[in-house]
Amino acid sequence: MSPYLVGAAWGLVGLAAGAGIRRANVWLAAREDLEAGHRAWQVYGPAIVLTLLYGAFGWRIGALPVLLIRSLWVAVLVQVIFFDFEHHLILDRVLLPAAGAALLLSILTPHLGWRVALLAGLGAGLVFLLIAGLGLVVFRTEALGLGDVKFAVFMGLTLGLPWVVYGVLTGVVLAGVISILLLATRLRGLKDAIAYGPYLAAGTLVELLRLGGH
């Protein structure tokens, strides 16, 4: 089957999935006693982004079983991006089941296997935990939240080694570039908090797309 046809068809699946992510975010916000935003990027963003991403993954991977696994992680990552941008919160009720599923599905993922996935997840989580602890001890400020630590575990479970390292580096670079731009345009101040989750999720998306069907 033509990769362009797969990409187009899978993009339509992404459109439906994105609409579902928006509804899920509204429901999750209510469960956390938060007010769901109604700006255009919050309402339509998930559907537009998932349409584009599913189309790209369908074109890159083709009609292979691993496309289903990759697409599941893409949906989780898009949920994290939009919810964390809006509420500065990565939810355990999303991340913990996703991490459990990632460990199980690593058995069926071509380049992974549960041992590699577990090693990468625990390693990434430990590094982030050390950074968070160092920030509290040395700088007396929260450099990373526990949500970021748990998300690092999820990154490792889905990417494995060495791709989790590349994903983290990509996310850190993106966060740095965007932060500089926001400071330069005075949209943010030096003391404003930065939500790292969306940038780490973006780094994960880049690496998942690079991996393709491998």
Side-chain angles (χ1 to χ4, degrees):
M1 185 181 295
S2 166
Y4 298 102
L5 183 59
V6 175
W10 205 242
L12 294 177
V13 175
L15 179 63
I21 291 295
R22 167 58 186 174
R23 294 191 185 94
N25 279 350
V26 172
W27 180 80
L28 289 166
R31 297 278 292 182
E32 298 292 325
D33 293 323
L34 299 169
E35 183 67 30
H38 296 283
R39 296 179 181 177
W41 69 269
Q42 296 163 330
V43 176
Y44 304 109
I48 293 172
V49 171
L50 268 182
T51 299
L52 295 173
L53 286 173
Y54 270 42
F57 274 80
W59 168 80
R60 178 83 169 88
I61 298 173
L64 296 175
V66 71
L67 177 61
L68 298 174
I69 298 175
R70 297 271 191 260
S71 298
L72 177 59
W73 308 146
V74 171
V76 172
L77 293 166
V78 169
Q79 188 281 327
V80 168
I81 288 172
F82 280 90
F83 202 88
D84 201 16
F85 266 138
E86 185 174 353
H87 302 293
H88 282 222
L89 188 63
I90 301 176
L91 298 176
D92 284 349
R93 66 176 78 239
V94 171
L95 205 53
L96 296 183
L103 183 58
L104 289 174
L105 290 175
S106 66
I107 301 170
L108 304 176
T109 304
H111 77 285
L112 273 177
W114 70 269
R115 291 183 180 86
V116 173
L118 188 60
L119 177 62
L122 293 177
L126 180 59
V127 169
F128 271 58
L129 185 60
L130 290 173
I131 293 172
L134 187 65
L136 289 174
V137 172
V138 177
F139 301 105
R140 299 186 182 278
T141 185
E142 189 178 82
L144 293 170
L146 286 179
D148 297 315
V149 175
K150 296 170 189 173
F151 187 74
V153 175
F154 175 72
M155 289 179 67
L157 291 172
T158 55
L159 291 173
L161 294 168
W163 294 277
V164 65
V165 178
Y166 305 149
V168 169
L169 291 176
T170 302
V172 169
V173 170
L174 282 173
V177 170
I178 297 299
S179 297
I180 291 171
L181 290 175
L182 291 175
L183 288 173
T185 55
R186 297 185 179 181
L187 294 175
R188 291 288 188 274
L190 288 172
K191 294 184 178 180
D192 290 334
I194 298 173
Y196 278 101
Y199 303 107
L200 294 173
T204 308
L205 285 169
V206 169
E207 293 309 313
L208 286 174
L209 188 59
R210 285 181 59 196
L211 279 167
H214 300 292

